[in-house]
Amino acid sequence: MEPLMAIVVGLLYAAAIYMMLRRSIVKLVIGLMLLSNAANLLIFTVSGMTRGAPPLIPEGAMAPAGAVADPLPQALILTAIVIAFGVLAFAVVLIHRAYEIVKADDLDQMKETDT
């Protein structure tokens, strides 16, 4: 399962870089979103894809019984999702404002408006 996930992560990174190299600012934001999803999936894959019980220690025990899921990658990914959503919301508002002023979503046309 992990080699398949590695291929998916690679494809997501490739698609993100391709989209970020396009001249449209909307495609740039889509690429940024794909890049953040690829990074989250990479963290998830590298941490190990083992199924386990919640990481709870029974009362009176010194260690959990059996295999448990690692909560650290899950916490990192959850934090990264929240940050990526904030960056995406900011980028959408910024693009909307830039489009209102320039009336174009092409990055080359936006450069021509610099004074």
Side-chain angles (χ1 to χ4, degrees):
M1 185 70 167
E2 288 169 350
L4 175 66
M5 295 303 285
I7 291 170
V8 170
V9 169
L11 290 175
L12 277 175
Y13 273 116
I17 291 171
Y18 177 78
M19 293 297 280
M20 291 174 72
L21 291 175
R22 301 292 92 200
R23 294 187 336 184
S24 172
I25 198 156
V26 174
K27 291 179 183 175
L28 176 82
V29 172
I30 293 171
L32 184 66
M33 195 170 53
L34 284 174
L35 188 70
S36 67
N37 287 335
N40 292 340
L41 194 57
L42 178 67
I43 293 170
F44 181 70
T45 303
V46 169
S47 67
M49 298 180 60
T50 57
R51 292 184 181 219
L56 302 173
I57 299 174
E59 190 173 330
M62 296 299 289
V68 295
D70 188 8
L72 182 63
Q74 296 174 14
L76 288 173
I77 292 170
L78 183 60
T79 304
I81 289 170
V82 171
I83 292 170
F85 181 73
V87 169
L88 179 66
F90 176 73
V92 167
V93 170
L94 189 64
I95 287 171
H96 178 66
R97 183 71 178 141
Y99 184 77
E100 283 181 350
I101 293 171
V102 180
K103 301 289 188 231
D105 73 335
D106 188 39
L107 290 173
D108 289 337
Q109 291 175 357
M110 288 184 174
K111 284 182 188 178
E112 294 171 1
T113 61
D114 291 343
T115 55

